[in-house]
Amino acid sequence: MPLLTSVSGFPRVGRDRELKKAIEGYWRGDRSLDEIRKTASDLRRRHWKLQADQGIDLIPSNDFSYYDQMLDTAIMLNAVPQRYRSLSFENPEDALFAIGRGYQGERGDVTALPMKKWFTTNYHYIVPEIDEATDIRLASTKPFDEFLEARSAGIDTKPVLIGPYTFLKLARDPRAEELDIDRGLINAVSAVYATILTQFSELGASWVQIDEPYLSMDKEPGDESLFTSLYAPILAAGRGGVKVLLNTYFGHVADIYERLTLMGFDGIGLDLVEGRRGTLEAVRRYGVPESTTLVAGLVNGRNIWRNNYADSLEIVDELRSITPNVAISTACSLLHVPYTTEGEDALGQDVLKHFAFAQEKIEELNEISRIADLDKAGRETSREMSANRSLFDGSRVSADPDVAKRIDSLTPEDLVRHPARAERQRVQREELGLPLLPTTTIGSFPQTREVRSERAKLRKGEIDQKTYDTFIQNKIDDVIARQESIGLDVLVHGEFERNDMVEYFGQNLNGFLFTRNAWVQSYGTRCVKPPIVWSDVSRARPITVRWSSYAQSRTSKIVKGMLTGPVTILNWSWPREDVSHEVQTRQLALAIRDEVLDLEKAGIRVIQIDEAALREKLPLRRSDWHREYLDWAIPAFRLVHSGVRPTTQIHTHMCYSEFNDIIRDIDDMDADVISFEASRGDLVVLDAIHDAHFETEVGPGVYDIHSPRIPGVDELVTRIREILEKIDAEKVWINPDCGLKTRGEDETWSSLENMVEAARIVRSELGR
């Protein structure tokens, strides 16, 4: 019999982003709620059938969401703060959207719940809020509804739930430094999950998958006790009925694996891609209970390269020598990869054969399952094994000797900028002549339908380059004039020529490939289309100098040059698997360094090098932070800017992440100014900045750009005052949380006008 196959989760926005288009149409008033619901139903059925047709045994349900699974889980547990309940929406979808993106209208005015990165991915989850008023109980039928919906389509599924341990560890109490997970809360949450298992038993479900990625994190005192306390009643409810698959991913669980084997789970899912070494060592040491199925996560759900069947089969064979009860699965949900390689013919078959997106990864599971049951001779002569083996023979690309030479010639001095930052900041204040609390934006302005249309016309050959360039010039002229008119201090050119902050740079670098439709969900309805690092990277041509210089020529105010940093380019691309991330990042750093120096030569005095994703790939285990990541990521950023003059001010920007625990490493990047998301996190990072005696000037975002609501002047004044309670005014910049690309024109300019006015008010309060 072939190995049992399981998929942890499937992309939900659709092959052509149908869900995104339907929901955004509803927000604009172009589509009805019924249309959204039909689109969602059609997608779910299509995805279930696709997996069933490929012979997958354990097909997930309840992996679908209109916005975010953590938000769905909070709603399921009735963990919805009163301020959202008071909006009194008739439709649950409207309430969900209000929590996820905020609401401002006739029913009230609320900001969204905080949003953070989902472990080491570029996916963002909504942070649940629990306080003493929260009444935990089962408040949603969504998991059951989708299970029954699949059954009505003739498909038995494996319901998927975010686990109670992960949920509680990621939740917060807005009025306390950390959530107090007391016995009452543990019992209430456990009771809900026990009830869910009981109901699924009654409905005839064979398996329920409970995802606990937080088990891959370092354990704090009491964590193991918390986990066992949560699961004792849950497993008791499932015993004799539905089987419980505890699913872990994004790393190893070696420090708790023995405990997991003793708890009576029917299945334990292990990530054997990112957690291979530690996990295999634990399995060898502690074995697998006779009654437990070990579900081996072999197919990478985080990258797009084909699976190496020889490696996967080696793991399968070893596991089978330990236990006969082995199944294979994706290492995590396929939410983090595009839908399918079909339609990407422009890449050519010689290139495309190296890639597997979600649909192809399901096919890989099937092939590994079949090949695993062949004897040695059968495997060697297998057509699938032969084709797969040829992908890993080392002939895909050749190294670029010029790139290797540049890297080999680097010295430690190339990573150091002179003079020291304190002296540079003094010189820059004199050179730039900015006011106290200077105002700026993060870079991009709204990419309207008109902007996207003109770019598409150029791509299709409907307009020539000159016509397009004139259009971009006019957009820059307009955005410069409008920024001047509202009184911003440091301007940007708007980035109208850029399709994406990473893809645009990749298109001007050697070594990158690009897809037509390989979209991945980032948050809510926001999708990104990462480029692919195919070979060694170098700068093909100047990237940003032309438009930055043009913008600066249109104003006497300072215009920032806008670049994407090397770590973010790599983290938001599909990186190579045949070369280390460290090597790829250093190649990128040299390419962006060339751009920085060219901008400086062109007279750009402030240059922002975005490292929005720096925190994103920080290893989950603290012991790995420096050796496996920070020891090369931080120097790569320093390499980018170390060659500029003292008077050139270097900014960087970081997005939704937890910064507190690496605040000193961020300071060690040696930028002059850093801006970062802070509004959704209630400015908690300011305490860490204060305590670390942070030397870099800072721009904590004063309002959330992922929400359509417009912050009032009084609200922004209060926010700035809160910042100044923790940080010296001489070191503070005033800016939004992030770029404005996804926002509408009216809300953008109204929000910025209020921000500038708030800065003026606070300056006057300070006598400046």
Side-chain angles (χ1 to χ4, degrees):
M1 289 286 292
L3 289 167
L4 196 72
T5 55
S6 176
V7 172
S8 291
F10 197 79
R12 53 197 183 227
V13 295
R15 177 171 179 161
D16 297 309
R17 295 178 292 160
E18 297 95 322
L19 185 65
K20 167 191 173 69
K21 295 169 185 175
I23 293 174
E24 291 181 354
Y26 175 65
W27 291 342
R28 291 192 304 268
D30 300 337
R31 298 200 187 185
S32 68
L33 191 54
D34 284 342
E35 287 179 283
I36 292 182
R37 290 168 175 166
K38 184 179 187 308
T39 298
S41 177
D42 290 345
L43 287 173
R44 288 192 294 267
R45 288 177 179 244
R46 186 185 311 162
H47 299 163
W48 290 327
K49 185 176 186 303
L50 184 153
Q51 294 171 77
D53 289 347
Q54 282 296 322
I56 298 300
D57 299 299
L58 302 182
I59 298 169
S61 61
N62 197 46
D63 56 335
F64 176 87
S65 177
Y66 283 116
Y67 205 92
D68 168 54
Q69 277 180 278
M70 277 291 284
L71 176 53
D72 293 342
T73 305
I75 292 171
M76 181 186 77
L77 291 168
N78 199 44
V80 176
Q82 180 57 38
R83 60 187 180 278
Y84 302 109
R85 296 182 186 278
S86 64
L87 298 173
S88 301
F89 285 109
E90 291 84 6
N91 299 306
E93 293 90 346
D94 291 325
L96 181 146
F97 295 144
I99 300 170
R101 62 196 295 264
Y103 174 83
Q104 190 173 50
E106 60 184 18
R107 295 175 182 270
D109 184 358
V110 294
T111 58
L113 279 181
M115 185 166 68
K116 297 295 181 186
K117 293 289 181 74
W118 182 243
F119 297 90
T120 54
T121 75
N122 187 31
Y123 178 78
H124 304 64
Y125 72 95
I126 299 298
V127 181
E129 187 175 295
I130 297 175
D131 59 28
E132 59 186 15
T134 305
D135 175 25
I136 297 293
R137 58 183 173 81
L138 181 59
S140 170
T141 60
K142 178 181 181 294
F144 314 116
D145 295 340
E146 293 181 13
F147 174 77
L148 293 173
E149 181 183 349
R151 176 174 286 176
S152 71
I155 299 172
D156 285 327
T157 59
K158 167 200 61 178
V160 175
L161 303 166
I162 298 291
Y165 176 73
T166 295
F167 179 82
L168 288 176
K169 293 296 288 185
L170 294 179
R172 68 166 195 156
D173 183 340
R175 296 176 297 186
E177 290 188 9
E178 61 182 40
L179 179 64
D180 179 18
I181 307 176
D182 60 16
R183 175 55 59 181
L185 181 58
I186 293 170
N187 291 343
V189 171
S190 289
V192 172
Y193 279 84
T195 299
I196 290 171
L197 288 187
T198 299
Q199 291 195 28
F200 274 124
S201 293
E202 294 170 355
L203 291 173
S206 299
W207 287 87
V208 168
Q209 174 182 308
I210 304 182
D211 286 353
E212 291 288 11
Y214 208 93
L215 287 175
S216 296
M217 301 284 287
D218 287 324
K219 307 301 179 294
E220 299 174 347
D223 279 353
E224 187 169 333
S225 174
L226 168 63
F227 183 84
T228 55
S229 296
L230 283 165
Y231 273 91
I234 295 172
L235 290 171
R239 201 160 289 129
V242 64
K243 294 181 179 179
V244 178
L245 166 59
L246 177 77
N247 199 39
T248 68
Y249 43 86
F250 297 150
H252 73 79
V253 291
D255 54 353
I256 199 171
Y257 176 76
E258 182 184 18
R259 167 59 57 186
L260 301 182
T261 64
L262 300 174
M263 291 180 65
F265 288 103
D266 301 289
I268 299 176
L270 301 173
D271 183 341
L272 293 171
V273 176
E274 293 188 80
R276 176 174 178 173
R277 184 178 60 186
T279 295
L280 280 179
E281 289 173 357
V283 173
R284 291 172 188 136
R285 181 175 182 180
Y286 299 111
V288 181
E290 290 184 8
S291 59
T292 299
T293 299
L294 193 151
V295 182
L298 298 174
V299 174
N300 194 341
R302 297 281 304 279
N303 212 340
I304 60 168
W305 300 89
R306 283 280 177 181
N307 183 277
N308 188 324
Y309 288 176
D311 283 351
S312 293
L313 291 168
E314 181 181 340
I315 294 173
V316 168
D317 290 344
E318 178 175 0
L319 295 178
R320 279 179 155 175
S321 71
I322 298 171
T323 175
N325 302 321
V326 177
I328 60 173
S329 176
T330 58
C332 64
S333 172
L334 298 177
L335 169 72
H336 309 292
V337 293
Y339 189 93
T340 180
T341 62
E342 293 177 5
E344 302 293 347
D345 300 335
L347 290 173
Q349 188 52 42
D350 284 345
V351 169
L352 209 55
K353 67 183 180 182
H354 291 277
F355 302 141
F357 298 172
Q359 181 173 304
E360 291 73 36
K361 288 180 184 294
I362 291 172
E363 295 167 3
E364 287 185 322
L365 273 177
N366 226 333
E367 288 191 353
I368 294 169
S369 174
R370 291 198 306 270
I371 297 170
D373 274 349
L374 299 175
D375 59 22
K376 183 176 180 180
R379 290 183 185 181
E380 290 300 316
T381 58
S382 163
R383 178 179 57 82
E384 292 93 342
M385 275 297 292
S386 177
N388 184 264
R389 192 180 298 113
S390 69
L391 301 177
F392 302 93
D393 62 7
S395 64
R396 184 177 65 79
V397 295
S398 299
D400 184 329
D402 292 333
V403 173
K405 184 177 179 180
R406 283 194 75 183
I407 289 180
D408 290 343
S409 67
L410 290 173
T411 68
E413 187 64 19
D414 292 316
L415 308 180
V416 180
R417 186 178 175 196
H418 297 290
R421 179 164 40 206
E423 174 61 17
R424 297 198 313 263
Q425 289 173 337
R426 183 189 66 77
V427 172
Q428 289 164 14
R429 289 190 188 101
E430 295 176 1
E431 172 74 15
L432 301 177
L434 294 170
L436 189 72
L437 306 179
T439 57
T440 189
T441 66
I442 303 305
S444 60
F445 270 81
Q447 291 261 333
T448 61
R449 188 172 295 179
E450 177 193 26
V451 172
R452 296 193 299 272
S453 174
E454 290 301 302
R455 189 182 300 128
K457 288 178 184 177
L458 177 68
R459 187 175 63 249
K460 297 174 184 176
E462 297 174 6
I463 59 174
D464 60 20
Q465 188 68 48
K466 183 178 179 181
T467 301
Y468 179 73
D469 289 349
T470 299
F471 170 78
I472 295 297
Q473 287 179 351
N474 291 337
K475 293 297 294 183
I476 292 174
D477 289 345
D478 178 64
V479 81
I480 290 291
R482 293 193 72 173
Q483 289 176 88
E484 286 184 321
S485 70
I486 67 172
L488 281 164
D489 299 305
V490 175
L491 316 185
V492 296
H493 79 285
E495 303 180 19
F496 300 108
E497 79 284 4
R498 306 183 190 185
N499 47 9
D500 175 80
M501 67 180 289
V502 172
E503 185 174 39
Y504 180 76
F505 281 81
Q507 289 169 339
N508 292 280
L509 296 170
N510 298 311
F512 277 81
L513 297 177
F514 308 91
T515 61
R516 184 183 69 85
N517 201 41
W519 296 96
V520 179
Q521 186 178 11
S522 178
Y523 66 87
T525 61
R526 170 73 170 153
C527 297
V528 294
K529 186 160 63 69
I532 301 164
V533 186
W534 176 257
S535 59
D536 287 345
V537 174
S538 60
R539 191 176 69 149
R541 63 190 70 85
I543 305 169
T544 67
V545 177
R546 176 186 180 184
W547 293 122
S548 294
S549 299
Y550 176 78
Q552 185 62 80
S553 75
R554 310 303 289 175
T555 180
S556 61
K557 287 196 168 188
I558 296 167
V559 175
K560 279 193 292 188
M562 301 300 305
L563 305 176
T564 305
V567 178
T568 295
I569 291 177
L570 188 72
N571 285 347
W572 286 355
S573 300
W574 302 115
R576 296 168 67 177
E577 293 186 336
D578 60 323
V579 174
S580 73
H581 287 195
E582 178 179 359
V583 169
Q584 293 174 75
T585 302
R586 186 155 287 200
Q587 292 176 358
L588 283 161
L590 286 171
I592 302 304
R593 178 187 175 94
D594 293 342
E595 189 71 15
V596 168
L597 295 176
D598 279 355
L599 281 171
E600 185 181 61
K601 289 177 186 175
I604 303 302
R605 295 184 292 166
V606 175
I607 302 172
Q608 181 172 308
I609 307 163
D610 287 340
E611 283 294 12
L614 179 77
R615 180 65 165 77
E616 186 172 298
K617 292 297 190 293
L618 189 72
L620 296 182
R621 302 284 180 166
R622 187 179 289 266
S623 59
D624 297 331
W625 282 5
H626 283 273
R627 176 174 49 84
E628 294 190 5
Y629 188 68
L630 292 173
D631 283 350
W632 54 261
I634 301 300
F637 184 85
R638 295 170 68 110
L639 175 60
V640 169
H641 70 82
S642 62
V644 300
R645 294 187 294 268
T647 52
T648 298
Q649 190 174 73
I650 297 297
H651 289 226
T652 190
H653 171 71
M654 295 184 184
C655 281
Y656 291 84
S657 288
E658 297 288 350
F659 303 119
N660 304 24
D661 45 12
I662 59 166
I663 201 70
R664 288 183 172 84
D665 298 287
I666 292 172
D667 209 18
D668 195 43
M669 293 167 70
D670 203 25
D672 299 307
V673 181
I674 178 172
S675 54
F676 50 85
E677 176 274 329
S679 65
R680 278 202 183 193
D682 292 335
L683 299 172
V684 294
V685 71
L686 299 184
D687 289 324
I689 287 173
H690 177 270
D691 295 344
H693 304 289
F694 202 67
E695 294 182 6
T696 314
E697 294 180 18
V698 297
V702 296
Y703 74 89
D704 176 21
I705 66 86
H706 295 82
S707 170
R709 68 180 295 275
I710 299 168
V713 173
D714 290 345
E715 173 185 334
L716 293 168
V717 166
T718 299
R719 184 58 55 119
I720 295 170
R721 289 172 181 159
E722 291 173 349
I723 293 170
L724 297 182
E725 289 176 2
K726 302 292 177 64
I727 304 175
D728 186 341
E730 296 285 347
K731 298 177 76 86
V732 172
W733 287 64
I734 307 300
N735 48 258
D737 266 349
C738 202
L740 301 165
K741 176 181 177 180
T742 61
R743 296 272 50 91
E745 288 277 352
D746 292 341
E747 69 200 52
T748 290
W749 292 106
S750 295
S751 297
L752 289 178
E753 287 173 5
N754 291 349
M755 185 187 80
V756 170
E757 178 60 23
R760 287 192 186 118
I761 290 171
V762 177
R763 280 191 203 121
S764 67
E765 293 176 349
L766 297 172
R768 305 285 286 273

